[in-house]
């Protein structure tokens, strides 16, 4: 799947929770970004929730040898929870605290979809990785792992799955956010999403644990990090079992939200979650960047459970809303959406003069160009109306191709060195976000014209669609 840097960033920001404790995290993030840079080989954020990389990071991906049978992967209702044996629960006891009330984990466990396994382990340089249970389907995999660090010092790490040629197969990688947690034995679980259609996944893969540590001394207050140890576990998947897993419900209906059409295709219900295929009508007057508060209601009568989507993914040209799994309450399933994030297509043009530090044409007065902008660098500030605003569900992202004052096309690249929150604004009650692009080394004739491909502009409206009666 070929995906542009801007699209990946857009998808990543759509995955952020709007319920985060922003201010404390933003202050910490600003301090981290001021004092730490990353090597090109391994770009790691100590607070992955706010990382500004050039790839969307959604989850950890992990696979291993396991004889998946198609029956073991088919969804079952909560009524089959009796199939979870005492032996099944014994291994889960060690994970019950970290899993908590995660509906995806609990429903998959109750349905008998998570299977304990043995023998999936590897060790390098004192790092032992063991996978103890798994559930897989056509969109991703849910697994439980144990990581033992026999070394005296703690280390940060990432986990991913690759081909035998070391090509990533998952949508991003999971980074540990607390290095102290991996000194000794750490247990955890992750849901990972495929970055391509399951029918094209290779049968032979490798699980890779990347341990990250400081490299060299501190120079000018900056510490570089890089991969210091890698652990590989050869793996094999059974494609037919994955292909037959889950349940697909064809909807093929259109929802009208704020006068715009959102097309709902297939709904895929499986162990790793509920996936709703969406598409935006090309006839819409508004360019939709994302949906506001999409949620699924499960239940009946006046007793419904709400499952909120905090991520959207793109797999080979198809867009999906990702919801937590929950088949413990079978019955009516409704999709509700409370608005859209978007701009009128005629308002997507951004014209700036980086020499004069002026925005000649823009979407609104919430977007400003900073004094630090110049011919080679465009730095914008977006002033959020509140801490819990649409700024967490859509971001200011520009198309990488832009035009100079003479009509010549150029390519801009996202600049991750600029913090999300400028340290100068870290103590503001509502600090603005900063977004920066490198424009190259040439002296460009002004003004410069960009196309906005994502912007946090909420247009309210509500719609409901029954997915299952």
């Amino acid at each position: 799947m070929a995906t542009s840097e801007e699209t990946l960033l857009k998808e990543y920001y759509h995955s952020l929770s709007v319920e985060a404790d922003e201010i404390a995290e933003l202050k910490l993030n600003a301090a981290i970004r001021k004092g730490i840079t990353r090597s090109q080989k391994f770009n790691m954020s100590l607070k992955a929730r706010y990382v500004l990389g050039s790839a969307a990071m959604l989850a950890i991906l992990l696979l291993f040898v396991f004889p998946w049978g198609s029956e073991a992967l088919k969804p079952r209702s909560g009524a089959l929870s009796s199939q979870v044996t005492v032996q099944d629960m014994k291994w889960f006891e060690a994970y019950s605290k970290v899993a908590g009330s995660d509906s995806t984990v609990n429903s998959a466990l109750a349905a008998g979809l998570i299977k304990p396994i043995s023998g999936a382990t590897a060790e390098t340089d004192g790092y032992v990785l063991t996978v103890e249970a798994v559930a897989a389907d056509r969109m991703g995999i849910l697994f439980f792992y144990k990581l033992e660090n026999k070394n005296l010092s703690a280390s940060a790490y990432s986990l991913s799955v690759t081909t035998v040629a070391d090509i990533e197969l998952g949508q991003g990688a999971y980074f540990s956010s607390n290095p102290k947690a991996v000194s000794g034995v750490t247990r955890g679980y992750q849901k990972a999403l495929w970055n391509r259609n399951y029918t094209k996944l290779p049968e032979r893969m490798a699980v890779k644990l990347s341990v990250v540590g400081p490299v060299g001394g501190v120079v000018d207050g900056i510490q570089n990090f890089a991969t210091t140890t890698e652990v590989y576990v050869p793996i094999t998947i059974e494609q037919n079992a994955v292909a037959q897993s889950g349940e697909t419900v064809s909807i093929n209906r259109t929802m009208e939200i704020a006068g715009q059409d959102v097309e709902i295709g297939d709904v895929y219900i499986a162990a790793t979650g509920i996936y709703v295929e969406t598409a935006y009508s090309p006839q819409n007057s508004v360019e939709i960047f994302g949906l506001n508060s999409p949620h699924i209601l499960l239940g009946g009568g006046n007793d419904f459970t709400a499952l909120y989507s905090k991520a959207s993914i793109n797999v080979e040209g198809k867009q999906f809303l990702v919801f937590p799994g929950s088949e413990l309450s079978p019955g009516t399933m409704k999709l509700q959406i409370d608005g859209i994030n978007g701009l009128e297509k005629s308002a997507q043009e951004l014209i700036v003069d980086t020499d004069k530090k002026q925005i000649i044409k823009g979407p609104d007065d919430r977007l400003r160009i900073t004094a630090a902008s110049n011919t080679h660098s465009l730095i914008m500030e977006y002033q959020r109306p509140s801490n819990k605003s649409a700024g967490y569900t859509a971001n200011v992202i520009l198309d990488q191709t832009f035009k100079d004052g003479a009509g010549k096309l150029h390519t801009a690249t996202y600049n991750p060195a600029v913090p999300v929150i400028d340290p100068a604004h870290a103590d503001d009650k509502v600090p603005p976000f900063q977004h920066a692009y490198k424009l190259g080394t040439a002296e460009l004739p002004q003004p410069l014209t960009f196309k906005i491909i994502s912007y946090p502009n909420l247009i309210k409206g509500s719609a409901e669609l029954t997915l299952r009666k």
Side-chain angles (χ1 to χ4, degrees):
M1 175 184 66
T3 307
S4 70
E5 177 181 274
E6 285 79 5
T7 300
L8 290 170
L9 282 167
K10 179 178 176 182
E11 292 168 1
Y12 168 67
Y13 278 102
H14 285 172
S15 75
L16 297 181
S17 170
V18 298
E19 300 172 354
D21 183 11
E22 294 93 347
I23 293 299
E25 292 286 354
L26 293 175
K27 289 181 179 178
L28 176 59
N29 187 63
I32 290 173
R33 290 182 178 282
K34 190 175 181 180
I36 299 176
T37 60
R38 302 151 187 85
S39 71
Q40 292 183 350
K41 182 179 180 182
F42 192 93
N43 294 327
M44 181 193 69
S45 169
L46 297 184
K47 286 291 178 181
R49 181 163 47 187
Y50 293 102
V51 72
L52 284 181
S54 62
M57 296 200 309
L58 293 177
I60 179 177
L61 187 60
L62 190 59
L63 290 173
F64 53 92
V65 179
F66 182 64
W68 291 325
S70 59
E71 286 298 317
L73 294 174
K74 291 181 180 178
R76 302 172 182 135
S77 69
L80 298 181
S81 59
S82 60
Q83 294 188 15
V84 181
T85 66
V86 174
Q87 183 178 2
D88 291 333
M89 291 303 298
K90 186 175 181 180
W91 70 263
F92 186 71
E93 288 177 1
Y95 295 92
S96 59
K97 185 175 180 179
V98 293
S101 59
D102 189 313
S103 64
T104 301
V105 173
N106 291 331
S107 61
L109 181 70
L113 301 179
I114 303 176
K115 300 298 182 182
I117 55 93
S118 61
T121 187
E123 178 178 359
T124 301
D125 295 338
Y127 295 94
V128 184
L129 177 65
T130 303
V131 178
E132 297 194 317
V134 65
D137 54 48
R138 293 174 359 214
M139 297 298 289
I141 185 169
L142 177 68
F143 72 92
F144 296 77
Y145 69 93
K146 179 176 70 174
L147 176 60
E148 181 181 1
N149 179 2
K150 296 181 180 180
N151 301 287
L152 296 178
S153 60
S155 301
Y157 67 95
S158 75
L159 284 160
S160 60
V161 67
T162 70
T163 66
V164 292
D166 204 26
I167 299 173
E168 296 288 337
L169 292 174
Q171 299 213 16
Y174 167 76
F175 298 108
S176 64
S177 59
N178 184 1
K180 292 182 180 179
V182 293
S183 181
V185 176
T186 298
R187 280 184 167 86
Y189 73 96
Q190 290 296 328
K191 182 177 77 171
L193 305 177
W194 307 126
N195 64 5
R196 63 200 67 196
N197 191 290
Y198 70 92
T199 59
K200 296 182 180 179
L201 289 172
E203 293 185 358
R204 293 290 296 168
M205 303 179 185
V207 176
K208 180 169 70 173
L209 167 70
S210 300
V211 179
V212 182
V215 176
V218 177
V219 180
D220 297 328
I222 297 176
Q223 175 67 67
N224 289 320
F225 288 81
T227 300
T228 58
T229 301
E230 293 180 334
V231 183
Y232 287 86
V233 180
I235 57 173
T236 302
I237 65 168
E238 205 283 290
Q239 291 191 7
N240 289 335
V242 174
Q244 296 174 30
S245 65
E247 173 190 358
T248 300
V249 181
S250 295
I251 304 299
N252 299 322
R253 297 278 300 279
T254 299
M255 301 178 72
E256 184 178 317
I257 308 168
Q260 309 301 309
D261 289 342
V262 177
E263 299 164 2
I264 307 299
D266 290 343
V267 176
Y268 180 59
I269 306 167
T272 61
I274 301 173
Y275 302 85
V276 178
E277 182 184 355
T278 61
Y280 308 137
S281 171
Q283 306 304 317
N284 288 338
S285 61
V286 171
E287 184 70 23
I288 300 175
F289 306 132
L291 303 176
N292 183 55
S293 189
H295 54 281
I296 284 177
L297 296 178
L298 283 174
N302 296 321
D303 185 15
F304 283 90
T305 298
L307 304 173
Y308 284 83
S309 172
K310 295 180 180 178
S312 65
I313 60 172
N314 188 295
V315 180
E316 296 191 338
K318 290 186 177 182
Q319 180 175 295
F320 296 88
L321 292 172
V322 183
F323 296 87
S326 181
E327 279 295 275
L328 296 180
S329 301
T332 301
M333 179 186 292
K334 298 179 180 179
L335 173 65
Q336 291 186 343
I337 299 173
D338 295 337
I340 59 177
N341 279 301
L343 289 172
E344 290 286 341
K345 293 180 178 179
S346 59
Q348 283 187 265
E349 190 175 61
L350 175 67
I351 303 177
V352 301
D353 189 317
T354 57
D355 290 342
K356 297 179 180 179
K357 315 295 192 293
Q358 293 179 348
I359 293 181
I360 299 172
K361 180 183 178 182
D364 52 50
D365 59 5
R366 291 176 292 176
L367 190 65
R368 301 186 293 264
I369 186 171
T370 70
S373 295
N374 54 51
T375 305
H376 311 301
S377 177
L378 173 62
I379 305 175
M380 299 172 294
E381 280 188 350
Y382 170 75
Q383 184 60 59
R384 298 174 296 153
S386 66
N387 285 320
K388 293 184 181 294
S389 71
Y392 281 100
T393 54
N395 202 40
V396 179
I397 302 176
L398 307 179
D399 191 297
Q400 68 183 71
T401 300
F402 69 97
K403 183 172 60 176
D404 66 22
K408 185 177 179 180
L409 297 179
H410 302 270
T411 299
T413 57
Y414 188 80
N415 184 2
V418 176
V420 181
I421 298 297
D422 189 323
H425 294 289
D427 293 323
D428 291 359
K429 184 176 181 180
V430 184
F433 280 152
Q434 283 198 343
H435 313 282
Y437 286 84
K438 297 177 182 179
L439 306 180
T441 58
E443 296 295 324
L444 302 177
Q446 302 293 317
L448 310 179
T449 302
F450 297 83
K451 181 180 180 181
I452 300 172
I453 63 173
S454 182
Y455 194 77
N457 183 54
L458 177 60
I459 304 173
K460 294 184 178 179
S462 60
E464 179 180 288
L465 178 64
T466 298
L467 304 179
R468 183 183 64 193
K469 295 183 179 180

